[in-house]
Amino acid sequence: MHFQIWLLLFAAAVSASLISSNIFAFAQTNTIGTKTPVKAHGVKITSPSKGQKVQINNDKGFTVTGISIDNTTSDCQVSVILNNVKPYQKAKGTGPGGLNDYSNWTFTPNNKNPQITIGNNELTAKLSCSDASATHTKYYSVNITGVESSFKG
């Protein structure tokens, strides 16, 4: 009886070993008609950060900063909106390649742009890049909280 149990356990272990050793995943490569993938474009707001409190009616205002995958050889532009109030306002390229390098960018709202309100506000950055065949657009949003300016007097 003990021999039969041992034999049954041994057979089960061998079967499990054989089954698991034959399970493989192979990547499939398409060598016929492959195309170079379109380069993905991305944009990100780095400041203010998600959930950050920003003073409203602050004389100094605030600056939005960000990054993107743009460089001096690509044809891209970053623009920003607040609370989905269009039109988008053009950001300033501050990358090492100059004003047309949006790898780093800034945007400072002014009195011509929608202002932050008390409570929840949404900032959205849009990266638009053009190449010979199309325009590619990516978005990135952060929610910030507008708070009253502290009275100092």
Side-chain angles (χ1 to χ4, degrees):
M1 174 84 173
H2 292 291
F3 179 74
Q4 291 173 338
I5 292 175
W6 181 85
L7 185 59
L8 184 60
L9 290 174
F10 177 76
V14 169
S15 295
S17 175
L18 290 174
I19 290 171
S20 66
S21 68
N22 286 324
I23 299 175
F24 296 102
F26 295 98
Q28 306 237 342
T29 305
N30 179 4
T31 57
I32 300 172
T34 58
K35 294 182 180 179
T36 304
V38 174
K39 184 177 179 182
H41 295 287
V43 63
K44 182 177 182 181
I45 295 171
T46 57
S47 178
S49 59
K50 291 183 179 182
Q52 183 174 333
K53 292 180 180 176
V54 177
Q55 291 184 350
I56 64 168
N57 300 324
N58 183 350
D59 291 339
K60 297 177 184 175
F62 75 101
T63 299
V64 181
T65 61
I67 57 175
S68 77
I69 64 162
D70 182 42
N71 58 43
T72 55
T73 61
S74 57
D75 184 15
C76 298
Q77 183 176 337
V78 174
S79 52
V80 179
I81 59 171
L82 177 63
N83 295 325
N84 205 29
V85 177
K86 294 179 182 174
Y88 279 85
Q89 304 296 317
K90 186 177 177 182
K92 177 182 175 185
T94 58
L99 292 176
N100 290 324
D101 181 355
Y102 289 91
S103 58
N104 293 292
W105 54 269
T106 63
F107 173 75
T108 304
N110 57 40
N111 56 6
K112 294 179 183 177
N113 307 109
Q115 299 297 308
I116 290 180
T117 59
I118 293 177
N120 191 42
N121 293 266
E122 182 182 52
L123 277 170
T124 302
K126 176 174 85 169
L127 175 70
S128 299
C129 300
S130 299
D131 61 25
S133 62
T135 298
H136 309 280
T137 306
K138 295 292 182 184
Y139 300 89
Y140 185 87
S141 296
V142 295
N143 288 323
I144 57 174
T145 303
V147 296
E148 288 282 350
S149 297
S150 300
F151 177 76
K152 295 180 183 179

